[in-house]
């Protein structure tokens, strides 16, 4: 189940990046489950990782390798998260990095490992190692779509976005893929996302651009409020276009906007493909004193099971929205100043139902695939939008019938 | 749906308290929906109310009357929460208090109003007023069981507890009833609970006893993480036994323990009757540095949809528990020091699955009506227990198919 049709946009190749995808036999036979990304040139890589304290072994290794070396290979397996696996999990990830280094001829610390899938099962390191020659042989500049498929777990469809950006020095390409459907409440990055550009961007700026973009995209989505042990978002800049993005330039603003658009599109794709999702909801909080306050109210509404089941029902049960706003912990909230609308249709104001409320019209809007709940706190100029989905029978089925 | 059989304990009458219950026609025809509690003697009443900022009109009125007068009548309607109703809601509650004052011959501020049910619909004040003579005529010292039935909304069964406590000056009685099934994540009190004793307790101590008891009972339960607009817990002491409870006495300790036991029993009853609940889970966090830290971890686990669906499935998916602990925001948590057990059976330690883990045995425990998840943070001496239930198809049905 997923909201709307799968977007299958063209994924432009990025000069300096090749991707290989194979079926290594980690998941069900024949399913793609191993991806290798190779970066060449004066490549710089920035990464943000989950803040969950039970961070998986590959997350810890990837962070360490980014800090100590200049990685150029990303090895991603699905079907097993290698989380909650203790010392054996660390040994497995080192085995994979060493085996890839031996296959390719590089240092193990030039490899960034990523795993996603079931928590607490031993990672089949030998199975992965046996598939490394095949995944190396599959490396292809046009490998983005296959890789988007190869990193999926419970995702019902692959997620990718791509665009070309005209900068003062020439055109650069920005292409990204992501996976994620459950255990989605990023606190830093989320899920897995791999984004690459051929722009030339200095390492410190690259990290800053990634932090800024995740803050308003992957860090503003929720499916079930559960932050994963394996979330990671990686941004690669190969510099192969010879077009530079510098701080304080108009190009930086243009590139930032494009990167944030792309991250938001991927983030919304994750929510639209959230476990059991039938509707995609933007919860927009305006009139807040601070952005953090707007985010907090938006997340409280976006994660309320009562709001999410009302959305599943297509029922404008505004009392549930109002009750969630009321428990979001906003100091000195003047409840009479709060107004709620759905796709611009007034629902509640002055602490009660709006005199302009039209139930039939509002129900019709809420039965669309996607709509926006706007909450005006009426006390400031700041705002934030969080994307969420509904809570359906299918969510229960996915999470109660299968071990994920 | 509810966990286990309904407890129908004897509810001892409390000297000085009479209760009347009638069908006023607020809910479906013939259903009991209006309760009056009359307190006589040197009665003292303490109340704790929801911290939700969208507090219902009756909550605001009850607080004001408690602060300004010495109330002796509690008027409770179900079927309508009179929340999110603006100025009309305030007028409705004043109309009810005035009408009861006229019927009985008291001041309107001697009446504490309580409402529970749908949010945002106008309260049918005239319907309630018309039933006041009947509910007054129904007042009866043995009216507790009928009143427990009369305050229900989506509760599948009435909830009551009663005990007699031997104190140095004689025996006192403690009897309480509660309602609540959805929108349960108390932040102060929760739901509605009415508890009375014939002990003689000074007003300040009574408030303190109630705060202490709710902190470890109603404030430690969650069904869906949503804090209601109408939560209230009221403790009445009539003094009719002529047995006093004073600060700093052994009697105070005995009474405190009995009150906390009773509140915890009622609180667990609410979770066991949580919307769609099939299992009652105690989430016990030990080895914490502070109680607040233990509570935070326990609530994070208790509210995780992934943990709750695994409980519904009877699946010891400890990776989900571990991931929830990891995102609970405990500073400097040493993940290798965390151990998780289910009914004492070791599940996880050292950051991974326990070598003593027995899946078949653990599954069998998790398929019981009730079990305990114990999480040892291994960093201190503090602890807290939170009670929760599972997340089932029935929860979705209840909240998506009906406007509640």
């Amino acid at each position: 189940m997923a909201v709307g049709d799968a977007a299958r946009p063209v994924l432009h190749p990025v000069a300096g990046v090749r991707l290989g995808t194979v079926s290594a036999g980690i998941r069900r036979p024949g399913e793609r489950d191993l991806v290798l990304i190779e970066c060449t040139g004066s490549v710089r890589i920035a990464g943000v990782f989950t803040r969950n304290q039970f961070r998986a072994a590959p997350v810890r290794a990837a962070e360490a390798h980014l800090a100590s070396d200049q990685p150029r290979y990303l090895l991603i397996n699905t079907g097993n998260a290698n989380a909650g696996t203790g010392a054996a999990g660390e040994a497995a990830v080192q085995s994979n990095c060493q085996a890839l280094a031996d296959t390719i001829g590089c240092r193990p610390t030039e490899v960034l490992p990523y795993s996603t899938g079931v928590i607490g099962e031993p990672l089949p390191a030998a199975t992965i190692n046996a598939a490394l020659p095949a995944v190396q042989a599959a490396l292809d500049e046009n490998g983005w779509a296959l890789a988007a498929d190869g990193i999926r777990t419970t995702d019902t469809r692959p997620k990718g976005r791509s665009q070309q950006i005209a900068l003062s020095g020439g055109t650069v390409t920005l292409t990204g893929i992501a996976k994620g459907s459950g255990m989605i409440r990023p606190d830093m990055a989320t899920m897995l996302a791999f984004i690459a550009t051929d722009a030339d961007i200095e390492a410190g700026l690259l990290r800053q651009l990634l932090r800024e973009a995740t803050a308003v995209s992957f860090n503003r989505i929720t499916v079930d409020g559960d932050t994963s042990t394996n979330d990671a978002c990686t941004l690669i800049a190969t510099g192969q276009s010879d077009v530079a993005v510098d701080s304080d330039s108009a190009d930086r603003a243009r590139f930032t906007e494009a990167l944030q658009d792309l991250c938001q599109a991927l983030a919304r794709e994750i929510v639209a493909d959230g476990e059991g999702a039938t509707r995609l909801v933007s919860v927009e909080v305006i009139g807040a004193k601070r952005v953090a306050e707007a985010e907090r109210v938006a997340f409280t509404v976006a994660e309320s099971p009562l709001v999410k089941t009302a959305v599943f029902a297509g029922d404008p049960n505004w009392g549930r929205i109002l009750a969630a706003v009321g428990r979001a912990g906003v100091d000195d909230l003047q409840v009479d100043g709060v107004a709620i609308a759905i796709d611009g249709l007034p629902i509640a104001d002055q602490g009660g139902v709006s005199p302009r409320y039209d139930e039939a019209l509002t129900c019709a809007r809420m039965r669309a695939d996607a709509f926006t709940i706007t909450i005006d706190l009426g006390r400031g100029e700041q705002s934030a939008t969080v994307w969420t989905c509904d809570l359906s029978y299918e969510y229960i089925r996915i999470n109660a019938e299968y071990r994920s």
Side-chain angles (χ1 to χ4, degrees), chain A:
Chain A
M1 199 182 292
V3 182
D5 296 324
R8 299 271 187 154
V10 172
L11 299 182
H12 303 290
V14 177
V17 176
R18 296 194 303 162
L19 307 94
T21 303
V22 297
S23 173
I26 310 162
R27 296 185 76 195
R28 286 175 283 268
E31 286 189 341
R32 299 183 184 103
D33 53 17
L34 189 66
V35 174
L36 177 64
I37 303 179
E38 173 207 66
C39 310
T40 50
S42 60
V43 64
R44 294 178 192 103
I45 299 180
V48 286
F49 298 91
T50 181
R51 288 203 193 114
N52 192 305
Q53 290 174 300
F54 283 96
R55 310 204 305 171
V59 168
R60 298 194 302 266
E63 276 205 319
H65 295 183
L66 269 176
S68 67
D69 204 338
Q70 296 229 321
R72 19 196 338 114
Y73 294 94
L74 287 68
L75 182 66
I76 309 128
N77 75 270
T78 179
N80 186 308
N82 195 10
T85 46
E90 297 197 7
V93 83
Q94 293 312 327
S95 163
N96 289 155
C97 291
Q98 184 63 57
L100 186 65
D102 293 344
T103 304
I104 279 172
C106 69
R107 292 179 297 278
T109 49
E110 285 181 280
V111 180
L112 297 178
Y114 301 83
S115 295
T116 181
V118 64
I119 295 177
E121 304 279 334
L123 183 75
T127 305
I128 293 172
N129 290 344
L132 294 177
V135 79
Q136 183 191 18
L139 286 172
D140 188 330
E141 195 175 48
N142 290 302
W144 284 96
L146 273 187
D149 189 56
I151 60 176
R152 291 188 302 133
T153 47
T154 55
D155 306 58
T156 68
R157 55 199 193 195
K159 300 163 182 68
R161 280 292 186 283
S162 188
Q163 57 182 296
Q164 292 184 311
I165 313 150
L167 301 181
S168 55
T171 295
V172 300
T173 297
L174 186 64
T175 297
I177 58 176
K179 63 87 39 183
S181 185
M183 207 175 257
I184 293 292
R185 168 51 154 109
D187 178 18
M188 153 63 336
T190 178
M191 21 45 58
L192 297 180
F194 304 95
I195 303 160
T197 179
D198 53 0
D200 184 12
I201 309 176
E202 175 272 318
L205 177 59
L206 193 71
R207 284 193 293 271
Q208 187 179 347
L209 290 171
L210 179 60
R211 273 198 308 273
E212 290 173 1
T214 53
V216 297
S217 57
F218 299 119
N219 281 2
R220 291 233 176 120
I221 62 177
T222 181
V223 169
D224 48 19
D226 272 303
T227 303
S228 153
T229 49
N230 289 55
D231 291 344
C233 179
T234 304
L235 176 60
I236 300 161
T238 67
Q240 298 287 292
S241 67
D242 288 328
V243 178
V245 174
D246 301 311
S247 310
D248 307 321
S249 64
D251 284 345
R252 185 205 146 138
R254 253 176 247 132
F255 188 85
T256 294
E257 187 187 347
L259 178 63
Q260 295 189 355
D261 282 354
L262 184 135
C263 287
Q264 287 184 346
L266 288 174
R268 280 194 302 267
E269 270 290 289
I270 287 173
V271 178
D273 195 19
E275 289 175 343
T278 75
R279 299 185 217 287
L280 171 64
V281 183
S282 307
V283 181
E284 176 189 41
V285 175
I286 63 176
K289 278 190 183 166
R290 287 173 297 278
V291 172
E293 172 180 296
E295 266 191 319
R296 185 169 179 177
V297 172
F299 266 116
T300 305
V301 172
E303 293 185 342
S304 159
L306 290 173
V307 172
K308 287 164 74 84
T309 47
V311 170
F312 175 51
D315 175 9
N317 194 323
W318 56 269
R320 296 182 180 178
I321 302 173
L322 189 136
V325 172
R327 69 175 165 89
V330 176
D331 287 337
D332 307 318
L333 181 67
Q334 297 301 310
V335 299
D336 289 351
V338 176
I340 301 173
I342 287 184
D343 275 357
L345 298 171
I347 307 287
D349 50 43
Q350 309 276 332
V353 66
S354 168
R356 291 175 294 150
Y357 174 56
D358 182 327
E359 177 144 327
L361 207 55
T362 313
C363 276
R365 289 297 177 93
M366 282 189 67
R367 285 170 185 166
D369 279 357
F371 61 87
T372 298
I373 300 173
T374 302
I375 299 155
D376 187 347
L377 299 181
R379 54 194 249 128
E381 301 297 321
Q382 301 301 316
S383 63
T385 297
V386 163
W387 294 277
T388 189
C389 59
D390 52 347
L391 175 58
S392 70
Y393 293 111
E394 184 70 2
Y395 179 86
I396 308 291
R397 192 188 64 75
I398 293 168
N399 285 296
E401 293 192 5
Y402 302 104
R403 171 93 53 113
S404 64

